Amino acid sequence: MHRRPRLEDVAAEAGVSTASVSLVLRDVPGPSARTRERVMAAAERLGYRADRTASLLARRRTRLLGVPVLLRDAFRTEMAEEVQVAADARGYAVALSAITPVADEPRVVETLLDMRCEAVLLLAPELPPADLAALGARAPVVVVARHVAPDGFDVVRVADEAGIGESVDHLIGLGHRRIVHVDGGEAAMAADRRVGFRAALHRHGLEGGVLPGGYEEAAGAAAARTLLADAALPTAIVAANDRCALGLLDVFLRAGVRVPQDVSVIGYDDGELARLSHIDLTTVSQEAGEQARQAVAAALERLDGSRTEPVEVVLKPHLVVRGTTAPPRP
């Protein structure tokens, strides 16, 4: 098998030291013009191509971005895929590491840094702001899909208050007046969505209830059972996210409550499950692809040295109307 030419082969062909070859190929000052000509001619004759990986390591660059991902969360896995696409378009690779019951987010971040990831992109992280700031002091960090003040790290998110507000406007436009929000509990972004819900109702001169919930199917299911136990079911529900909405839909289906004929349901995220024809969930798109592109761009600005101050990028979400919303029954 023909062996790939090495640096030593170029040095022997040109009659110079390997150190001189390395300086010439890296365009570092030192070697004379004649030496440069000899090295470049020898490299061309031999068909020498620099080892990109070795070169990056020598410069302490890996062009590798680290992304912790919660695999059971459809939105975060989709976001991770979008980050992969965005990074590839910029010539960077992505190392994904799963968050599990035995490997929490801080541990996963440490693993990614040990792998020499140059920057870390955190997808809807639950870490306290102080921990995010401490991490940002060690490596470029971009927090994605969470409302937190940029303090030594960058933030890319959507305006969740506006997204929930658009959901409420849609329901009121259909004629709904008894609307409930099943919230995200203490999870990231839940507070913004509660504020957006109440503010939107207030704009229309209405009041609505907020029911404790969460970002998983079980929370939506529990909320649905609570609502079914009341005397009067609301005509519309705005769920904390798509997974919470799926829990609501499952319990309603089993109880014989029709969606949207008896109650309209709106989710939040616009993940792949929401788009399935048998679910057809009206939901708010978080613009996963654009968030990913902006997050990768922010990380590379830090790595390339073109920016040192933290930034916050806030995108506008939009409502995707599908089959789980309709006017209330007369």
Side-chain angles (χ1 to χ4, degrees):
M1 181 181 293
H2 182 68
R3 181 173 61 83
R4 177 178 175 175
R6 298 177 301 177
L7 198 73
E8 293 83 353
D9 300 321
V10 177
E13 178 75 11
V16 299
S17 68
T18 54
S20 294
V21 172
S22 177
L23 291 173
V24 170
L25 295 179
R26 289 187 290 122
D27 197 25
V28 176
S32 66
R34 178 170 174 75
T35 297
R36 290 181 182 278
E37 290 176 3
R38 289 167 60 188
V39 168
M40 296 306 293
E44 185 175 355
R45 285 195 301 272
L46 295 174
Y48 174 81
R49 290 184 297 116
D51 186 330
R52 180 174 177 273
T53 302
S55 177
L56 288 170
L57 289 173
R59 288 181 285 146
R60 305 188 65 81
R61 293 295 306 272
T62 60
R63 297 183 75 85
L64 186 63
L65 306 178
V67 179
V69 59
L70 187 64
L71 296 176
R72 66 175 180 271
D73 187 319
F75 172 71
R76 287 190 234 190
T77 55
E78 183 175 349
M79 179 74 77
E81 182 177 332
E82 293 287 358
V83 167
Q84 180 93 48
V85 172
D88 184 68
R90 301 289 296 271
Y92 277 72
V94 173
L96 301 177
S97 187
I99 299 170
T100 69
V102 296
D104 60 9
E105 195 166 33
R107 181 175 174 183
V108 168
V109 168
E110 290 299 325
T111 299
L112 291 168
L113 292 176
D114 288 345
M115 294 170 60
R116 300 189 63 188
C117 290
E118 295 190 65
V120 179
L121 281 64
L122 302 175
L123 310 181
E126 297 289 345
L127 293 171
D131 291 356
L132 294 172
L135 180 59
R138 299 172 57 194
V141 170
V142 183
V143 172
V144 187
R146 178 177 170 187
H147 189 180
V148 59
D151 180 15
F153 52 87
D154 298 323
V155 175
V156 176
R157 64 180 179 89
V158 296
D160 275 7
E161 291 183 31
I164 290 291
E166 191 174 346
S167 299
V168 173
D169 291 343
H170 168 66
L171 292 170
I172 290 175
L174 290 173
H176 292 276
R177 295 298 181 268
R178 291 188 292 112
I179 306 170
V180 167
H181 175 44
V182 177
D183 75 4
E186 299 301 317
M189 309 307 293
D192 282 8
R193 296 176 192 179
R194 281 192 295 270
V195 169
F197 176 75
R198 292 188 171 112
L201 286 176
H202 181 73
R203 286 198 307 271
H204 293 279
L206 299 174
E207 293 184 0
V210 175
L211 191 63
Y215 280 176
E216 297 184 353
E217 291 85 349
R225 287 189 286 269
T226 297
L227 291 169
L228 289 171
D230 290 341
L233 193 68
T235 64
I237 302 169
V238 179
N241 68 351
D242 288 353
R243 294 180 66 189
C244 179
L246 291 175
L248 285 160
L249 294 177
D250 180 65
V251 171
F252 287 155
L253 176 66
R254 296 172 189 274
V257 175
R258 299 170 302 166
V259 176
Q261 293 90 342
D262 299 326
V263 59
S264 288
V265 176
I266 297 182
Y268 202 105
D269 285 343
D270 193 28
E272 290 185 1
L273 291 176
R275 304 167 205 156
L276 294 177
S277 60
H278 68 286
I279 295 176
D280 201 29
L281 180 67
T282 295
T283 183
V284 176
S285 169
Q286 284 215 57
E287 307 291 350
E290 185 59 24
Q291 282 202 71
R293 286 186 287 274
Q294 293 284 351
V296 169
L300 301 198
E301 286 174 2
R302 289 294 192 106
L303 292 174
D304 297 340
S306 59
R307 177 175 54 80
T308 57
E309 294 300 313
V311 297
E312 181 180 28
V313 178
V314 183
L315 305 174
K316 187 179 185 302
H318 74 276
L319 184 69
V320 181
V321 178
R322 296 195 181 96
T324 57
T325 52
R329 289 183 302 171

